[in-house]
Every structure is written in structure tokens, then in C-alpha cells.
Amino acid sequence: EMSEMSERSKQNVAHGLAWSYYVGYLKIVLPWVKKSMEEFSRANPNLLACRKTWKLHILIPLSCDVCDDLEKADSNIQYVTDLTETTLTRAGTKKRVYKHSLYAIKDEENQLWHCAVEYATPLQSLYAMSQDECAAFSREERLEQAKLFYRTLEEILKGSKECADAYRLIAYE
């Protein structure tokens, strides 16, 4: 009965998405991000001088509106290159490729910072659910789910030794 009630009230969606994102993606790729940044820095010593940006910056728009092209979303962001790919056999897919893009981001003082940036992709699912009649998520419910996703993911990552200091969550309106 409790399970049915929470399913009807859609309470488990964000929680499940956060765990799936962590177990099925972040736990796999985050340990490799720093290594990729170190490799890139050795090959391009002028670009990645600031070690504190050597992590995956995960964007979490609370609107769940995820733009596929970061350069179009913000003119202060410029694509630089892709970091070294990680290839693993995963869930029946041979040689599954994981890669991250490196961007140059201009701050308020026009200083450039180089870092790997991407959206939290499960937010696309929350957004799509709010657009689909079958899921029937209201804008308010979507916002609550986005906040719950962020809090859950933050809690999961704080407890993860494998992912320590390899990420930065950036939630924004």
C-alpha cells in the first residue's frame, strides 16, 4: 500500500533517478575525470593551470531545461576539446565510450577557466515527464523533483570515496 501511494504521488522519481545516475554513470566516470585532466594538462601545460577546476562540473538547472549546446546556452562558454575517452564493456555493450568535453568559461573579470562541464542528464527525463500526459507532472512537481534530485545526488556523492573531489554540483534557477 505504501509503495502504491508513493508511486501515485510520484515521490520516488527523483530519488531513483539520482541513484541511477550515480551508480550507472558517475561512479564509473568520475574516477577517470581527474586522470583525463592530468593527461590533458601534461600535453597542454598552459591551459589547465588551476587544479581546483580538475573535476566534472555538473549543471543542475532546477527548471530541468537542458540545452544540448552549452555555447548556445551561454556566450561566456567556449568548447575547447574532448578529454581522453574511457572505454569499458558495460551491460552487454562492448567498448562503450565515455568522454567529457573541456570548455573555457569566462568569469565576470574576463578570466578564462578551463573545466569539464555537462548537464545532469536525468533532468531531461524529468522535463520530458512534465511534458507527457501519461506522467502528468506539473511545473511545481517538476521543480520539487529537481530539488529532490539535487539533494539526493549531493548526499550520495558526499558518501562516495570513489568520487571524492572529482565533481562540483551547480544547481541554479
Side-chain angles (χ1 to χ4, degrees), residues 2-36:
M2 290 299 288
S3 176
E4 199 173 301
M5 283 171 47
S6 74
E7 282 176 33
R8 253 187 269 124
S9 64
K10 304 173 194 98
Q11 293 172 341
N12 290 332
V13 175
H15 187 80
L17 286 173
W19 271 102
S20 177
Y21 185 50
Y22 168 70
V23 173
Y25 179 67
L26 294 177
K27 192 173 180 181
I28 297 164
V29 302
L30 287 179
W32 295 96
V33 170
K34 263 202 156 115
K35 290 175 185 146
S36 293

Side-chain angles (χ1 to χ4, degrees), residues 12-13 23 39 41 53 68 111 121 123 141 143 159 161 165-166:
N12 290 332
V13 175
V23 173
E39 275 180 34
S41 182
T53 66
D68 288 328
Q111 183 175 352
T121 52
L123 295 177
E141 287 170 320
L143 176 61
K161 289 182 180 96
D165 204 34

Side-chain angles (χ1 to χ4, degrees), residues 7-106:
E7 282 176 33
R8 253 187 269 124
S9 64
K10 304 173 194 98
Q11 293 172 341
N12 290 332
V13 175
H15 187 80
L17 286 173
W19 271 102
S20 177
Y21 185 50
Y22 168 70
V23 173
Y25 179 67
L26 294 177
K27 192 173 180 181
I28 297 164
V29 302
L30 287 179
W32 295 96
V33 170
K34 263 202 156 115
K35 290 175 185 146
S36 293
M37 299 290 263
E38 286 172 13
E39 275 180 34
F40 186 84
S41 182
R42 278 195 296 276
N44 305 276
N46 299 339
L47 286 183
L48 288 175
C50 186
R51 284 183 172 268
K52 70 180 178 183
T53 66
W54 290 15
K55 50 185 73 181
L56 182 60
H57 294 73
I58 303 168
L59 302 177
I60 302 178
L62 297 178
S63 68
C64 298
D65 195 6
V66 171
C67 184
D68 288 328
D69 189 339
L70 284 172
E71 291 173 302
K72 288 181 182 168
D74 188 330
S75 61
N76 294 307
I77 300 174
Q78 292 288 199
Y79 170 79
V80 176
T81 190
D82 288 329
L83 295 172
T84 306
E85 296 176 349
T86 301
T87 306
L88 302 168
T89 296
R90 187 97 176 119
T93 300
K94 301 276 186 192
K95 300 178 185 173
R96 178 166 285 177
V97 175
Y98 297 91
K99 70 177 185 173
H100 299 94
S101 296
L102 185 70
Y103 289 92
I105 301 174
K106 195 182 315 172

Side-chain angles (χ1 to χ4, degrees), residues 141-157:
E141 287 170 320
R142 183 180 70 208
L143 176 61
E144 286 308 308
Q145 290 295 315
K147 289 177 182 176
L148 178 58
F149 174 84
Y150 172 76
R151 287 192 308 268
T152 304
L153 186 59
E154 182 179 44
E155 193 175 301
I156 293 167
L157 286 168

